Amino acid sequence: MTAVDLARRGARVILACRSKQRGEAAAYDIRKETGNMEVLFMPLDLASLKSVRAFAKAFLNSEPRLDILVNNAGSVNTEINRHFKFWLKVLLIPVATLFQRDAENGAQTSVYCAVQEGIERLSGRYFVDCHVQEVTAHARDDAVARKLWEVSERMVGLAT
């Protein structure tokens, strides 16, 4: 729903998805529903650094800038359950549905952050239900953030 809402507002939207078939189908559906022909699909599998690097290279070669990045834009079913055994799905899916929102409600905070004027100074903050949500002190710890960054650099082969 985030992508649909942004497309309705005239934004150029790039759907970065693992499945080419589903990504292209979603882009087609959004173009058809909104009339915005600037809705595109680009392949991206976040579980593969090779895919991430290929996406980044293709994006940088084709796009002059990135204005807004929305991760998992309005997705209700992230398919995380594909990694669970059947018996675990039977136990977890009914519980998970209690906490899910419908796609339109789930997209509202992403859309708000993308289009609301005057919140630029809040860039990088954590939002819940269209409001800034304070995170725990541990999440604001610069030493922990620096360590996480360093470990991440080593894990993806960027450490010097």
Side-chain angles (χ1 to χ4, degrees):
M1 289 304 294
T2 302
V4 172
D5 196 309
L6 294 174
R8 278 195 183 112
R9 296 168 189 261
R12 179 174 173 84
V13 177
I14 297 173
L15 303 176
C17 309
R18 182 181 61 250
S19 167
K20 179 178 181 180
Q21 180 182 4
R22 293 192 336 209
E24 287 178 343
Y28 172 82
D29 290 346
I30 294 170
R31 286 191 301 267
K32 186 176 176 184
E33 180 177 338
T34 65
N36 181 342
M37 296 298 111
E38 291 293 312
V39 179
L40 311 169
F41 160 77
M42 290 178 69
L44 172 63
D45 181 355
L46 292 174
S48 163
L49 287 177
K50 182 179 178 183
S51 175
V52 171
R53 288 181 175 119
F55 173 86
K57 184 176 181 179
F59 183 90
L60 291 171
N61 287 333
S62 67
E63 302 301 319
R65 66 181 195 272
L66 172 65
D67 293 315
I68 300 165
L69 174 64
V70 179
N71 293 321
N72 210 18
S75 176
V76 173
N77 179 4
T78 63
E79 295 185 16
I80 196 166
N81 63 5
R82 72 181 177 275
H83 299 292
F84 294 143
K85 301 283 186 204
F86 175 77
W87 64 268
L88 192 55
K89 289 180 189 179
V90 171
L91 293 174
L92 291 180
I93 290 175
V95 174
T97 58
L98 295 175
F99 299 101
Q100 291 180 339
R101 298 176 175 197
D102 63 43
E104 187 172 351
N105 285 327
Q108 292 310 301
T109 298
S110 296
V111 172
Y112 172 82
C113 290
V115 302
Q116 183 64 38
E117 293 191 23
I119 66 167
E120 294 84 0
R121 62 184 172 77
L122 300 174
S123 180
R125 300 287 299 273
Y126 182 64
F127 281 76
V128 174
D129 294 328
C130 302
H131 298 287
V132 172
Q133 177 77 41
E134 291 303 321
V135 295
T136 65
H138 191 68
R140 295 187 309 269
D141 186 320
D142 288 339
V144 171
R146 189 170 23 265
K147 182 68 176 174
L148 176 60
W149 185 265
E150 291 167 0
V151 168
S152 298
E153 281 184 319
R154 281 196 302 277
M155 290 178 72
V156 299
L158 295 177
T160 54

